[in-house]
Amino acid sequence: MISKKHFPWETPVQYLKKVGPKRAFLFGKLDIKTLEDLLTFLPFRYEDRREIKKIRDLTVGKEAYVVVYGAIQSIALIETSRWMKIVNIAVRDETGVVHAKWFNQPYLKDLFKKGDQIMLSGKLKTNYFGGAHLEMESPLYELADAGEPQLHMGRIVPIYHETKGFTSRQIRSIIKMVLDQYGQDIPEFLPAPLVKKYSMTSLSEAICECHFPSSDASLSLLNGGISLAHQRLAFDELFLLELGLALRKKTVATREKGIAFNTASKYVMQLRNLLPFSLTSAQEKVFTEIAEDMGSDYPMYRLLQGDVGSGKTLVAFMAILVALENGYQVALMAPTAILAEQHFLLLKKYCKAFNLSLLLFTSDMKKKEKEDALAKMESDEVHLVIGTHALIQGQVCFKNLGLVVVDEQHKFGVLQRARLFEKGVRPDMLIMTATPIPRTLALTVYGDLHLSVIDTLPPGRPPIKTRVFNGKQRPQVYAYLKQAFTAGRQAYVVCPLVEASEKVDLKAATELSATLQKEIFPDRKVGLLHGRQKREEKERIMREFQKGLIDLLVATTVIEVGIDLPNATVMVVEHAERFGLAQLHQLRGRVGRGTKQSYCFLIAEYPQSNDAKARLQVMQKSTDGFVIAEEDLAIRGPGEFFGTRQSGLPELKVANLMRDVVILETARKEAFLWIENDPALNQPESIPLRASLERKWKGKIEWLTTG
Ligand code: ADP
Ligand code: MG
């Protein structure tokens, strides 16, 4: 009997029965190191082997899928052409023979041996070739070994991810043994009231059931990962995740005192009077939230999320003015030099009105210029600094930095975010993103940030019309551009993303702009903008474009974010199939910024992958960044979407952020409530929680152990 109190979660798998060093090594490849890892290594699907059919009773077309079990009678490898190799086997049970074949997996020939017992499951067909016979095409198979047939048949069977030298069947046997030994003793770690409140399956039962479901379980719920047992384990995972985030948020909030700004700002009042429009109610609401944070004496750590064109810059500028009026310095960081410049030009206009000094700080500044700028920052001679990554490099030092604004944060790694935060003093932070973060991710990856959302666009903007063209239809696109130029509008053409090489992208952009200028629009001015240009040149081109001296701006993706020119109403994206959804949405966001009807033309070459087609369809269908982000998440899966791997969060094995939103929200609510009531996790009911948390967030929780 194992003591529940000291359940050996952390026992290395090597010391489990039937494992040993060799298998422990193989388990390692599956990321399974401890008993806990093994217990929570869930099947990725289940197979219904409750009924094994006798071959005599097989009928085509009746069931979608059948399972048979028999001995391999013959094996053949047939090459029908250079490109087609078929492995064909005949399997016999005591009632008859059925055939199975697999395409282009010649290695199967050596895997199968005559006389071996094999289980096949799949769809049944009649093959009329060479005399009608029953056949299964590419069925799933499992070769039987000597042991425990009752474990692998006559039940709903778990199928595990395999690794070379370790089959699902072997893993199944080991997990069965481990569960026989430990399964009943797995201790509950969730507080009892919580388990009761949501009528949850006990942990022990949930783990056993996920591996070896009872015979009346629903296969579709199991395979969907939404059986009660799965939901329980998903809750655990998400609860621990949110518990960690709640702690982190608390630590950030209480770690150090920040600045309590006086938010009754005259500057902001004045700014409002200078503006040719009034703020949208969403902007007002968000500014109120920011001002509340700034007014309190804990360091603000807020994410401002708003779709492209929703007017984030202005809100940020109001926050900036508050900090400046309080006598603090402000740093505004943008992901590209071009965007930093644009911010600089815009804010320069306003800062003049307030007699504030500002400077632009980028990596391509001359040495003297840079030293000069650094000295000014250090001595408080300059109030507002606008820059790129260069701003977070080592030498930069502020006299009294009060606020950091990060624009378009999705372009910054998590690390950089952290570095800014460490910058000596404890400034308030406002992080802006136009890449809409789906709710689920806002609750997880960014769970320790406070969130403000601008959820409406300024009024009077007709939605952008989007159309997908193929390469042959380019003349149509150009004809439309001509019309737009005649009407006094401007346009962008974004060049194909050739590969992750700036050099090649550059060549493509240069060539395209030359062709467009010479051959298509000889009487218009075509400009070229890319990342490798000198600062002065970029500035000049942006200025010319802003002034309307350039009609068509050919650009690499350097213009992806931020650029704001309401008179540009057409966005053409070449090779749109190569871009991700978020990127396409950003690019499209460069137009539709005024009251004129705007267009986005996506030129896509054929053939495209299914994913690419899906992306282009989404773009045509919706202009809502939130919808697009959800679709993006669905197409790409959460892992890739935000690089959760690099986000410093524990990985999710059971829960799926898309599927389990409701569980996530519940888990979040309960976790935050729990931390509210027991911030140090030292109440008796919190002890097991704390232990689980420490295991889960190992190495990621300095704040737990120090805080
Ligand atoms: P984003 O959120 O994409 O950064 P910007 O801050 O660049 O958006 O704003 C987009 C455009 O909308 C700018 O030209 C800005 O001047 C304008 N704008 C911002 N707020 C309003 C408003 N309340 N009414 C009308 N136009 C606005
Ligand atoms: Mg912006």
Side-chain angles (χ1 to χ4, degrees):
M1 183 71 194
I2 304 133
S3 151
K4 288 214 178 196
K5 228 175 174 163
H6 301 289
F7 189 78
W9 287 116
E10 293 181 279
T11 299
V13 279
Q14 173 170 355
Y15 304 120
L16 299 174
K17 255 190 251 164
K18 258 178 109 178
V19 180
K22 200 170 143 223
R23 284 182 157 176
F25 174 75
L26 293 173
F27 269 134
K29 290 189 169 176
L30 294 167
D31 252 343
I32 300 169
K33 294 183 196 71
T34 64
L35 175 61
E36 179 167 30
D37 295 340
L38 187 60
L39 290 173
T40 53
F41 181 70
L42 298 193
F44 73 100
R45 67 179 180 86
Y46 297 84
E47 207 170 286
D48 188 353
R49 296 187 195 159
R50 282 175 292 196
E51 188 185 10
I52 309 283
K53 283 268 184 194
K54 292 290 168 222
I55 292 175
R56 184 179 52 205
D57 300 333
L58 295 178
T59 40
V60 173
K62 210 161 157 216
E63 289 111 331
Y65 139 123
V66 296
V67 185
V68 298
Y69 181 66
I72 299 176
Q73 197 180 28
S74 65
I75 306 158
L77 176 65
I78 305 154
E79 289 191 40
T80 60
S81 76
R82 243 176 75 204
W83 298 280
M84 182 56 79
K85 296 188 175 71
I86 301 174
V87 170
N88 199 324
I89 65 170
V91 171
R92 164 182 291 284
D93 70 4
E94 59 290 3
T95 68
V97 175
V98 68
H99 290 257
K101 68 178 176 195
W102 292 266
F103 300 99
N104 286 335
Q105 299 180 57
Y107 58 89
L108 289 177
K109 178 174 175 284
D110 301 319
L111 182 73
F112 298 146
K113 296 206 175 43
K114 229 170 128 172
D116 277 359
Q117 295 288 316
I118 191 171
M119 183 141 20
L120 299 173
S121 60
K123 218 173 137 60
L124 199 66
K125 282 185 168 176
T126 307
N127 186 344
Y128 295 99
F129 192 73
H133 57 275
L134 290 176
E135 184 177 77
M136 298 173 82
E137 215 174 88
S138 310
L140 300 164
Y141 61 87
E142 187 172 302
L143 285 165
D145 46 32
E148 328 131 294
Q150 72 288 359
L151 184 58
H152 311 290
M153 285 201 292
R155 64 167 357 132
I156 296 175
V157 177
I159 313 291
Y160 298 93
H161 280 298
E162 305 185 334
T163 183
K164 198 162 182 292
F166 217 2
T167 65
S168 170
R169 189 179 175 99
Q170 289 166 324
I171 295 171
R172 188 184 304 136
S173 296
I174 292 174
I175 290 185
K176 180 71 168 69
M177 251 186 24
V178 167
L179 283 178
D180 286 346
Q181 189 181 355
Y182 298 101
Q184 297 313 306
D185 301 315
I186 299 171
E188 193 55 68
F189 76 97
L190 283 183
L194 214 56
V195 176
K196 190 148 170 260
K197 181 167 172 191
Y198 296 102
S199 321
M200 280 190 252
T201 312
S202 77
L203 182 57
S204 149
E205 197 187 327
I207 288 179
C208 293
E209 184 70 15
C210 275
H211 288 289
F212 294 98
S214 29
S215 58
D216 59 350
S218 149
L219 205 75
S220 61
L221 293 186
L222 286 169
N223 274 326
I226 49 172
S227 70
L228 285 178
H230 281 93
Q231 290 190 351
R232 157 70 213 245
L233 298 184
F235 182 89
D236 287 6
E237 227 172 25
L238 295 171
F239 184 70
L240 287 175
L241 173 70
E242 292 296 337
L243 212 53
L245 289 170
L247 277 168
R248 188 151 90 182
K249 195 167 187 169
K250 192 126 207 140
T251 320
V252 170
T254 54
R255 187 160 41 198
E256 255 165 77
K257 288 265 179 281
I259 306 154
F261 293 97
N262 175 1
T263 57
S265 164
K266 274 203 223 97
Y267 286 1
V268 171
M269 289 276 282
Q270 270 170 275
L271 177 69
R272 285 172 186 276
N273 294 331
L274 286 175
L275 290 174
F277 46 73
S278 50
L279 297 196
T280 62
S281 59
Q283 283 171 317
E284 291 288 5
K285 177 195 72 186
V286 163
F287 180 64
T288 310
E289 289 165 357
I290 293 170
E292 231 161 73
D293 274 4
M294 291 184 75
S296 88
D297 67 354
Y298 63 82
M300 171 166 76
Y301 196 36
R302 184 168 285 276
L303 181 69
L304 168 50
Q305 180 182 317
D307 209 346
V308 283
S310 62
K312 293 182 295 296
T313 314
L314 188 59
V315 176
F317 191 49
M318 290 161 69
I320 291 172
L321 283 180
V322 169
L324 293 174
E325 193 170 350
N326 277 264
Y328 288 92
Q329 289 172 296
V330 176
L332 168 59
M333 293 207 347
T336 65
I338 291 176
L339 183 51
E341 256 141 56
Q342 180 187 271
H343 281 327
F344 178 73
L345 293 176
L346 176 78
L347 299 188
K348 198 158 86 174
K349 233 173 40 198
Y350 288 117
C351 280
K352 230 190 232 152
F354 302 108
N355 213 3
L356 294 163
S357 70
L358 76 171
L359 71 81
L360 183 64
F361 193 84
T362 54
S363 51
D364 59 358
M365 281 193 327
K366 302 205 179 62
K367 190 154 174 271
K368 171 80 183 49
E369 241 182 323
K370 204 173 204 167
E371 278 165 7
D372 203 42
L374 286 171
K376 280 185 177 159
M377 288 183 228
E378 216 164 330
S379 71
D380 203 10
E381 231 177 282
V382 67
H383 306 117
L384 172 58
V385 180
I386 299 164
T388 55
H389 309 286
L391 257 186
I392 49 169
Q393 273 151 15
Q395 339 114 326
V396 180
C397 188
F398 290 89
K399 174 111 184 283
N400 63 343
L401 186 63
L403 173 69
V404 175
V405 178
V406 185
D407 196 12
E408 307 295 354
Q409 108 85 33
H410 67 292
K411 291 269 147 185
F412 292 87
V414 175
L415 254 183
Q416 285 171 323
R417 191 171 89 193
R419 277 186 59 186
L420 247 185
F421 202 59
E422 286 158 15
K423 204 101 218 151
V425 268
R426 196 52 71 192
D428 277 8
M429 283 200 73
L430 180 64
I431 296 156
M432 303 198 282
T433 180
T435 295
I437 296 165
R439 188 162 167 67
T440 52
L441 287 171
L443 293 178
T444 50
V445 180
Y446 295 102
D448 53 340
L449 294 171
H450 295 262
L451 183 66
S452 289
V453 182
I454 302 184
D455 50 9
T456 51
L457 296 178
R461 288 194 195 162
I464 303 164
K465 293 194 174 138
T466 302
R467 241 189 98 180
V468 179
F469 292 92
N470 63 40
K472 289 204 200 89
Q473 297 169 309
R474 240 180 229 109
Q476 266 173 267
V477 173
Y478 294 153
Y480 185 80
L481 281 176
K482 277 198 179 121
Q483 277 180 30
F485 297 148
T486 309
R489 304 281 108 76
Q490 290 161 281
Y492 302 91
V493 173
V494 171
C495 273
L497 200 62
V498 180
E499 49 190 73
S501 145
E502 224 181 305
K503 230 184 186 157
V504 185
D505 283 356
L506 184 60
K507 184 159 167 279
T510 314
E511 279 168 10
L512 182 64
S513 79
T515 315
L516 287 175
Q517 177 72 82
K518 262 194 243 127
E519 290 165 27
I520 318 283
F521 305 110
D523 52 348
R524 296 286 170 192
K525 179 86 169 83
V526 178
L528 172 65
L529 189 71
H530 58 74
R532 289 283 183 91
Q533 282 160 332
K534 289 236 155 50
R535 181 154 60 96
E536 295 82 40
E537 187 164 10
K538 277 188 236 166
E539 258 177 60
R540 178 179 59 78
I541 290 163
M542 278 314 294
R543 243 190 340 260
E544 285 180 11
F545 192 51
Q546 300 266 6
K547 283 195 191 144
L549 300 175
I550 291 174
D551 302 286
L552 178 61
L553 189 62
V554 176
T556 56
T557 49
V558 290
I559 61 145
E560 181 184 335
V561 289
I563 305 298
D564 181 47
L565 177 63
N567 192 50
T569 58
V570 190
M571 166 61 69
V572 180
V573 182
E574 285 282 346
H575 276 284
E577 78 280 1
R578 294 185 189 161
F579 292 86
L581 257 184
Q583 216 173 5
L584 286 174
H585 181 63
Q586 280 290 341
L587 285 171
R588 180 169 60 184
R590 295 314 110 221
V591 298
R593 305 190 141 245
T595 50
K596 292 157 201 128
Q597 178 63 55
S598 288
Y599 299 86
C600 175
F601 299 136
L602 303 173
I603 301 180
E605 300 296 339
Y606 295 89
Q608 306 145 18
S609 70
N610 287 339
D611 275 10
K613 278 192 197 124
R615 290 198 295 271
L616 296 172
Q617 263 161 24
V618 172
M619 287 300 292
Q620 262 192 146
K621 214 171 56 195
S622 178
T623 54
D624 182 333
F626 289 81
V627 174
I628 289 171
E630 296 283 354
E631 299 274 357
D632 198 18
L633 193 57
I635 295 171
R636 279 201 282 166
E640 251 187 79
F641 183 87
F642 240 94
T644 29
R645 256 175 197 286
Q646 54 138 352
S647 65
L649 298 176
E651 260 190 84
L652 300 176
K653 289 165 81 177
V654 189
N656 171 323
L657 293 179
M658 284 295 282
R659 180 189 63 204
D660 300 326
V661 187
V662 177
I663 301 179
L664 174 65
E665 281 169 353
T666 311
R668 182 176 173 84
K669 190 181 78 190
E670 294 295 347
F672 275 71
L673 202 66
W674 194 266
I675 294 300
E676 200 62 38
N677 292 331
D678 184 14
L681 287 183
N682 51 19
Q683 298 301 311
E685 319 84 85
S686 294
I687 303 299
L689 268 184
R690 196 182 165 92
S692 298
L693 199 59
E694 272 167 3
R695 286 199 311 275
K696 200 78 166 189
W697 284 71
K698 203 177 267 168
K700 293 169 183 146
I701 49 162
E702 350 56 273
W703 37 266
L704 218 200
T705 37
T706 60

